[in-house]
Amino acid sequence: MSASTGSGRYAVGIDFGTESGRAVLVDCADGRELGTAVHVYGNGVIDERLPAPDEDVILEADWALQDPDDYIAVYRNAVPALIAETGVDPAEVVGIGIDFTSCTMLPTTADGTPLCRLDDLRRRPHAWVKLWKHHAAQPEADRINAVAAERGEPWLARYGGKISSEWFVAKSLQILLEAPDVYARADRLIEGADWAVWQLTGVESRNSCTAGYKAMWSKQDGFPASDYFAALDARFEHVVDEKMSREIVPLGTRAGGLTAQAAAWTGLNAGTPVAAANVDAHVSAPAATVTEPGTMVAIMGTSICHILLGDESAYVEGMCGVVEDGVVPGLFGFEAGQSAVGDIFAWFVENCVPAQAREEALRRGLTVHAYLEEEAAKLSPGGSGLIALDWWNGNRSVLVDAELGGLLVGMTLQTDAAELYRALIEATAFGTRVIVEAFRSAGVRVDRIVACGGLPERNKLLMQIYADVTGLEHAVAASSQTPALGAAMFGAVAAGGAAGGHDSIVDASRAMAHLGARRYRPDPDGARVYDELYTEYLRLHDLFGRGGDDVMKNLRRIRASVTGAHPAAGG
Amino acid sequence: MSASTGSGRYAVGIDFGTESGRAVLVDCADGRELGTAVHVYGNGVIDERLPAPDEDVILEADWALQDPDDYIAVYRNAVPALIAETGVDPAEVVGIGIDFTSCTMLPTTADGTPLCRLDDLRRRPHAWVKLWKHHAAQPEADRINAVAAERGEPWLARYGGKISSEWFVAKSLQILLEAPDVYARADRLIEGADWAVWQLTGVESRNSCTAGYKAMWSKQDGFPASDYFAALDARFEHVVDEKMSREIVPLGTRAGGLTAQAAAWTGLNAGTPVAAANVDAHVSAPAATVTEPGTMVAIMGTSICHILLGDESAYVEGMCGVVEDGVVPGLFGFEAGQSAVGDIFAWFVENCVPAQAREEALRRGLTVHAYLEEEAAKLSPGGSGLIALDWWNGNRSVLVDAELGGLLVGMTLQTDAAELYRALIEATAFGTRVIVEAFRSAGVRVDRIVACGGLPERNKLLMQIYADVTGLEHAVAASSQTPALGAAMFGAVAAGGAAGGHDSIVDASRAMAHLGARRYRPDPDGARVYDELYTEYLRLHDLFGRGGDDVMKNLRRIRASVTGAHPAAGG
């Protein structure tokens, strides 16, 4: 496809995922995606040993690192491939935006060199990039929460009462406590997102999204006070001033122009505007047409991330965070989440689907998922006689408890795989409804849901069940790569309207973001049965999730005592 | 094998199962099984339509019938085959015993002709044999229980507070209510066990085991009073005197001698002593060496039937029944049960085992069950992080509630099939422990367990888990066909010691019954962890089983409302 068929005003969006980076060329006029190029990270997720030649360095359990040079390789490979594929004239690329997994962070020198590139530090795991799913900082997170609770830190409520081990301060504190010399060598501790923009622009900047959602910053109050950090560890007192920054730029800001070196990597023109960094989930909201309160965006994949906008702040039980300017400048962005959704279906297919179902799927030319969907769609709401609690990976919103486990109830000798599969889908839908109702209880409107991500496109039954269970109309974003589209949209905003981009993300969203034609509307009969089942779900949810019956934690404790595993490790 | 290598004193045991009848020739001296012959019922379980030429008569849901001529075919085929195979001289066969599924019952004319053999009745389903698993008499059972509870009938406590839809009076009442003309034509309503003995001896007799466990009879009080039956239905007032019998003979009684016709069928000598009928589960106790209090017999297969002896009666929560002379003359025989055990494992293998496990099993030359056992055996007690409630087919003892459903809790994304399988085994073991503790609470000793049936031979892991969970030594009966062996032992008793048999079942058991060499003793470490897990099991058991949380019943009610199924039907 040649870009010459478009408007001549294009933006490049680069989406840094967990296994690969993806560059997409988007028409600023209408959001048409003219081409995509993917580069798979050479070192992928580093969770067992460091890459060659240091493969003798073994990582402990729950570690997950990445190689920052893999990100540079995306610039050097995916973007030139995109230009070649689309035939775009680099002069017609008005802006560049990126989005990233988060919190993925790394320690660098003052000029941004990752510590893992230094000869004397490259064999030190703490010198590498800590990927979002690095879960080894749980003791630090426990300490962060305990000290915050003890001191009555007001910001804790913005995070649903609990800071995750995945987040910035926990990961930073882990470096300090476990490798104080590496910590000392780190002039900067920085989000991968911001580092990636720094590599394009030559200028360090920090975006409001990751600062707000992952590093306890708020536009109004800034970071927690130094004496809080001192209470965590005396050496940590000035971490913000020493290794981070108090200058936080709102989303849509032009972070800088492409450097000569980055121009050489990418094949784009030096000076091309680059947007401040963004996060994959949050950048999906405007790419799914959502820039105003009332519509919840559900980014549905292995897990679900919910993004919702509000005119004012609110404290919502178990939310991941509320950040002013965190999604769309001028609004409060709420984030909530379900820790496992597609992962549960994948677990089921991997571990619980009988050979007969696989063979039947093969015979019909379907994937196992599609076969199960077809069979499950033949059942009525309530027809399985089953209900599940969708806590295979704990519960983020609203219970914020990683030690919870899954539950299935109602099996008989006649229960079959399709019924179990449907019950698991329903359970994740009930999980979404709990979150919707938590927002409403806190006075935050939820009138409809727009879904994006891998699941909604593939699974019509799932979307209808979600509509029936929540009683809300569901639409699906037209793009199958909303993060990259969103990143490109912010690139267009960094360019500005006069340069062929857009003056605001709201304008960009109106022009460039679209919904698919299909609407999933609640079926009254299904909704009525699901109301009944939701009563059952909610009672079990509260019984097992709020301390009424601690069987799930007791089972973890017993397992830990016989296997020596960490009770929270989950497997 | 020729019987000529034996003592010259043999007994024939005939075990009437669900799908086939099995005849075994046993040496009265030492219990050695000299040969076995099986005849598969031509019409098997009749649960969809009547056999040809009446296949246009469709049965309703939950019906299960049999053809009485299939039982006669066992006499005509399996017994002659056994004689031919073993080369036994019929003169050396000193006695014959039979055991039967129960309650399997039929209506007959005064001479014992099954009503379904009569031309004008053979197209009437109610004229056929109702098999033990005919579950269509639930409304009648509900009425039997409600009227009994209302009247404060003292015998109800002997059955754990609830009469099953499978039992004699429920099935009889169903005939009366749904086919009063068939009921009127029935001169006799009789257990299949007693009918089968009648066909051998030409004399109607009724045994104390089926009368006691299935027809509410007791040695001390006889049957319930006529006004109780009248309260069920006026036409039912005199059912005992009109269609049953108050003459109940204890087990081990000589019911009669083989008729000329039966001698012609079987190839045995006319006049050979025939024992009063018995039930497959109960007859297994002496065949598993158990004729005294203190040792529980667990007949383990698709479900578990527990048989325990006591010197005096006791009311045990949820037991199936307590009958004086019901198992061994002179003692009280207690029966309890778990409604699904092997069935749950089979369900799991059928519905939840991934193709990868099947392939790996195949590669190792194992059945899927054996492969899962091997993998599950690598786990420690408590190592799965899972717990289950084993109620896939409801719960008989101690909750007596068919509307309960299965529960699994603690799943994570790392949970695998072997962990799930082990959790299901453990759940059934916890179910046994609840029953053991119920007996002890009622003052009935349980010091060790002897297992028999299909499961214990195949599954060493299961036996060890049962030992660890219950804290009781488990042994396994040496015979793999304890019901047929037990039937033969009662045949030997019917003959008596002077005729080469034995004078009592206790004597017969000492001489003819044996245990395998292997003992499963509780492992102290495993038992300690299982004590912890049992606390969790029991709390969930009581929560979901005793009305604390009715989710299982609510799910059935909701399913019934959307599918039109009977809530208790289970699928």
Side-chain angles (χ1 to χ4, degrees):
Chain A
M1 177 186 303
S2 165
S4 62
T5 58
S7 70
R9 305 181 286 122
Y10 306 109
V12 169
I14 306 169
D15 167 47
F16 291 90
T18 300
E19 302 283 353
S20 63
R22 161 183 303 255
V24 57
L25 184 76
V26 182
D27 193 318
C28 294
D30 57 9
R32 198 152 54 92
E33 295 162 19
L34 292 106
T36 300
V38 174
H39 174 77
V40 176
Y41 303 150
N43 283 317
V45 177
I46 303 167
D47 55 7
E48 295 190 346
R49 54 189 67 240
L50 290 184
D54 301 302
E55 63 268 33
D56 57 315
V57 180
I58 307 296
L59 300 179
E60 289 176 41
D62 299 326
W63 278 63
L65 305 179
Q66 285 197 319
D67 180 352
D69 287 340
D70 278 338
Y71 309 143
I72 301 299
V74 173
Y75 291 146
R76 300 178 72 153
N77 294 284
V79 182
L82 178 71
I83 293 173
E85 176 199 340
T86 55
V88 70
D89 176 353
E92 293 182 328
V93 174
V94 299
I96 305 166
I98 72 135
D99 71 277
F100 220 90
T101 63
S102 178
C103 165
T104 293
M105 59 82 69
L106 68 161
T108 74
T109 63
D111 68 0
T113 303
L115 294 192
C116 62
R117 278 200 206 139
L118 305 183
D119 280 350
D120 65 325
L121 290 180
R122 69 179 166 77
R123 289 173 55 81
R124 304 291 302 279
H126 276 297
W128 292 70
V129 177
K130 286 188 169 62
L131 184 62
W132 65 274
K133 65 178 175 176
H134 173 89
H135 287 137
Q138 189 60 52
E140 288 76 13
D142 293 345
R143 180 153 178 75
I144 286 165
N145 287 307
V147 172
E150 194 183 302
R151 293 167 50 97
E153 293 287 343
W155 46 263
L156 196 56
R158 289 204 312 269
Y159 303 98
K162 204 175 251 181
I163 300 299
S164 164
S165 72
E166 290 184 3
W167 294 355
F168 196 87
V169 177
K171 281 170 169 155
S172 300
L173 184 58
Q174 193 196 7
I175 303 178
L176 170 65
L177 296 181
E178 297 184 2
D181 59 321
V182 175
Y183 181 82
R185 293 280 290 280
D187 297 316
R188 316 303 293 154
L189 295 169
I190 189 165
E191 280 274 351
D194 290 325
W195 183 82
V197 167
W198 189 356
Q199 301 312 297
L200 291 181
T201 61
V203 185
E204 179 184 346
S205 65
R206 309 258 174 165
N207 75 85
S208 57
C209 181
T210 53
Y213 286 106
K214 309 298 178 180
M216 290 123 81
W217 171 86
S218 83
K219 188 174 179 180
Q220 198 175 338
D221 301 323
F223 288 99
S226 298
D227 58 349
Y228 169 73
F229 289 109
L232 295 175
D233 190 289
R235 299 165 292 177
F236 210 49
E237 181 174 4
H238 300 296
V239 61
V240 174
D241 293 311
E242 288 172 0
K243 299 177 194 287
M244 294 162 65
S245 169
R246 295 190 189 276
E247 272 182 61
I248 307 296
V249 300
L251 300 176
T253 303
R254 179 184 183 283
L258 208 61
T259 61
Q261 182 181 51
W265 288 339
T266 57
L268 295 173
N269 289 347
T272 305
V274 178
N278 215 315
V279 175
D280 46 11
H282 305 71
V283 79
S284 292
T289 74
V290 176
T291 56
E292 292 183 347
T295 301
M296 176 179 269
V297 181
I299 300 104
M300 303 177 73
T302 55
S303 57
I304 296 184
C305 180
H306 306 88
I307 302 289
L308 184 62
L309 298 168
D311 293 314
E312 50 190 31
S313 191
Y315 294 122
V316 182
E317 185 189 13
M319 66 180 163
C320 305
V322 52
V323 176
E324 189 175 357
D325 297 348
V327 176
V328 169
L331 292 172
F332 288 82
F334 296 89
E335 180 188 348
Q338 292 176 249
S339 9
V341 179
D343 269 354
I344 299 178
F345 312 147
W347 170 87
F348 182 74
V349 166
E350 178 75 19
N351 291 285
C352 300
V353 174
Q356 168 270 328
R358 283 182 191 276
E359 285 153 20
E360 183 60 19
L362 198 67
R363 202 183 63 71
R364 297 195 204 163
L366 297 172
T367 65
V368 177
H369 279 289
Y371 164 75
L372 287 171
E373 185 193 349
E374 216 172 271
E375 291 300 303
K378 296 176 185 166
L379 301 165
S380 315
S384 70
L386 301 172
I387 208 162
L389 292 176
D390 51 319
W391 300 344
W392 266 246
N393 194 21
N395 176 294
R396 171 66 217 194
S397 304
V398 299
L399 299 169
V400 198
D401 192 336
E403 297 194 359
L404 297 173
L407 182 140
L408 262 169
V409 63
M411 288 77 76
T412 73
L413 296 171
Q414 287 74 40
T415 299
D416 65 23
E419 290 173 327
L420 290 164
Y421 187 71
R422 184 171 177 123
L424 294 176
I425 294 175
E426 292 168 345
T428 64
F430 292 134
T432 291
R433 178 161 168 179
V434 171
I435 291 168
V436 168
E437 297 196 349
F439 276 109
R440 288 176 169 168
S441 298
V444 186
R445 274 171 52 210
V446 188
D447 304 327
R448 60 175 201 138
I449 293 182
V450 173
C452 59
L455 278 181
E457 291 168 25
R458 286 198 301 269
N459 202 326
K460 293 184 178 59
L461 171 67
L462 175 134
M463 293 310 296
Q464 188 60 50
I465 289 173
Y466 272 60
D468 291 349
V469 165
T470 60
L472 295 175
E473 181 184 290
H474 278 58
V476 180
S479 174
S480 62
Q481 42 192 357
T482 45
L485 170 61
M489 287 163 55
F490 277 101
V493 175
H502 293 281
D503 286 333
S504 72
I505 190 64
V506 176
D507 290 347
S509 182
R510 275 189 201 131
M512 299 170 71
H514 307 283
L515 295 178
R518 179 154 187 164
R519 296 291 175 276
Y520 297 89
R521 296 196 176 85
D523 168 69
D525 290 337
R528 199 172 45 244
V529 175
Y530 281 134
D531 278 346
E532 273 198 84
L533 286 168
Y534 182 67
T535 304
E536 303 298 316
Y537 177 90
L538 200 59
R539 202 180 60 249
L540 295 175
H541 174 281
D542 289 352
L543 174 68
F544 291 107
R546 299 191 191 275
D549 191 301
D550 275 340
V551 61
M552 294 166 185
K553 296 182 185 198
N554 296 343
L555 289 170
R556 276 178 191 254
R557 183 180 45 71
I558 292 168
R559 185 180 56 184
S561 76
V562 302
T563 64
H566 187 287
Chain B
M1 178 187 302
S2 164
S4 62
T5 57
S7 69
R9 306 181 286 124
Y10 307 108
V12 168
I14 305 168
D15 168 46
F16 291 90
T18 300
E19 301 283 354
S20 63
R22 163 183 303 254
V24 58
L25 185 75
V26 182
D27 193 318
C28 295
D30 56 11
R32 196 152 56 91
E33 296 162 19
L34 291 107
T36 301
V38 173
H39 174 78
V40 176
Y41 303 150
N43 284 318
V45 177
I46 302 166
D47 53 7
E48 296 189 346
R49 54 188 69 241
L50 290 184
D54 302 302
E55 62 269 31
D56 58 315
V57 181
I58 306 296
L59 301 180
E60 289 176 42
D62 300 325
W63 277 65
L65 305 179
Q66 285 199 317
D67 179 353
D69 287 340
D70 277 337
Y71 310 141
I72 301 300
V74 173
Y75 291 145
R76 301 177 74 150
N77 293 283
V79 181
L82 177 71
I83 293 173
E85 175 199 340
T86 56
V88 71
D89 177 353
E92 293 181 328
V93 175
V94 301
I96 304 165
I98 71 133
D99 71 276
F100 220 91
T101 61
S102 178
C103 166
T104 293
M105 59 81 68
L106 68 162
T108 74
T109 62
D111 67 2
T113 303
L115 295 193
C116 60
R117 278 202 204 136
L118 305 182
D119 281 349
D120 65 326
L121 290 180
R122 69 181 166 78
R123 290 174 54 82
R124 305 291 300 279
H126 276 297
W128 292 70
V129 177
K130 287 189 169 61
L131 184 60
W132 64 275
K133 64 178 176 177
H134 173 89
H135 286 136
Q138 189 60 52
E140 288 76 14
D142 293 344
R143 177 151 179 77
I144 285 166
N145 286 306
V147 172
E150 194 183 305
R151 292 167 51 98
E153 292 288 341
W155 46 263
L156 195 56
R158 290 204 312 269
Y159 302 98
K162 204 175 251 181
I163 300 300
S164 164
S165 72
E166 291 183 3
W167 294 355
F168 196 87
V169 178
K171 281 170 168 154
S172 300
L173 184 57
Q174 193 197 5
I175 303 177
L176 170 63
L177 296 181
E178 298 184 1
D181 60 322
V182 175
Y183 181 82
R185 294 280 291 279
D187 298 316
R188 317 303 293 153
L189 294 170
I190 190 165
E191 278 275 350
D194 291 326
W195 183 82
V197 167
W198 189 357
Q199 301 312 298
L200 291 181
T201 61
V203 184
E204 178 184 347
S205 66
R206 310 258 174 166
N207 75 86
S208 57
C209 181
T210 53
Y213 287 106
K214 310 298 179 181
M216 292 125 79
W217 172 87
S218 83
K219 188 174 178 180
Q220 200 175 335
D221 301 322
F223 288 99
S226 298
D227 58 350
Y228 167 73
F229 290 109
L232 295 175
D233 190 289
R235 298 164 292 176
F236 210 48
E237 179 173 5
H238 300 296
V239 60
V240 175
D241 292 312
E242 288 172 359
K243 299 178 193 288
M244 295 163 63
S245 169
R246 297 190 187 274
E247 270 182 63
I248 307 296
V249 299
L251 300 177
T253 303
R254 180 184 182 283
L258 209 60
T259 62
Q261 181 180 51
W265 288 339
T266 58
L268 295 172
N269 289 346
T272 306
V274 177
N278 213 317
V279 176
D280 46 11
H282 305 72
V283 80
S284 292
T289 76
V290 175
T291 56
E292 292 183 347
T295 300
M296 176 180 270
V297 181
I299 301 104
M300 302 176 75
T302 54
S303 58
I304 296 183
C305 179
H306 306 89
I307 302 289
L308 184 63
L309 299 168
D311 294 314
E312 50 191 34
S313 190
Y315 294 121
V316 181
E317 185 190 12
M319 66 181 164
C320 305
V322 53
V323 176
E324 190 175 358
D325 298 347
V327 178
V328 170
L331 292 172
F332 288 83
F334 296 89
E335 180 188 350
Q338 292 175 248
S339 12
V341 179
D343 269 355
I344 300 179
F345 312 147
W347 171 86
F348 182 74
V349 166
E350 179 76 18
N351 291 286
C352 300
V353 174
Q356 168 272 328
R358 281 181 193 276
E359 286 153 20
E360 181 61 18
L362 197 67
R363 203 184 62 73
R364 298 195 203 165
L366 297 172
T367 65
V368 177
H369 279 290
Y371 163 76
L372 287 172
E373 185 193 351
E374 215 173 271
E375 291 301 302
K378 295 176 185 166
L379 301 166
S380 315
S384 70
L386 301 171
I387 208 161
L389 291 177
D390 51 318
W391 300 345
W392 266 245
N393 195 20
N395 176 295
R396 172 64 217 195
S397 305
V398 300
L399 299 170
V400 198
D401 192 337
E403 297 194 359
L404 298 173
L407 181 141
L408 263 169
V409 62
M411 288 76 78
T412 73
L413 296 172
Q414 288 74 41
T415 299
D416 64 24
E419 290 173 327
L420 290 165
Y421 188 70
R422 184 171 179 123
L424 294 176
I425 294 175
E426 290 168 346
T428 63
F430 293 134
T432 291
R433 179 161 165 181
V434 171
I435 291 168
V436 168
E437 297 195 351
F439 277 110
R440 287 176 170 167
S441 297
V444 186
R445 274 170 51 210
V446 187
D447 304 329
R448 61 177 198 135
I449 292 181
V450 172
C452 59
L455 277 182
E457 291 169 26
R458 286 196 302 269
N459 201 324
K460 293 183 178 62
L461 172 67
L462 177 132
M463 293 310 296
Q464 188 59 51
I465 288 173
Y466 272 62
D468 291 350
V469 164
T470 59
L472 294 175
E473 182 184 290
H474 277 58
V476 179
S479 174
S480 62
Q481 42 192 355
T482 45
L485 170 61
M489 285 163 56
F490 276 101
V493 174
H502 294 281
D503 287 332
S504 73
I505 191 62
V506 177
D507 291 347
S509 181
R510 273 189 204 132
M512 299 171 71
H514 308 284
L515 295 178
R518 179 151 187 168
R519 296 293 174 276
Y520 296 89
R521 296 194 176 86
D523 168 66
D525 290 337
R528 201 171 45 245
V529 176
Y530 281 132
D531 278 348
E532 273 197 84
L533 286 168
Y534 182 66
T535 304
E536 303 297 316
Y537 177 91
L538 201 58
R539 201 180 60 252
L540 294 175
H541 174 281
D542 289 352
L543 173 68
F544 291 107
R546 297 190 191 277
D549 190 300
D550 275 341
V551 61
M552 295 165 184
K553 295 182 185 198
N554 295 344
L555 289 170
R556 275 177 191 257
R557 182 180 44 72
I558 292 168
R559 186 180 56 185
S561 74
V562 302
T563 64
H566 186 283

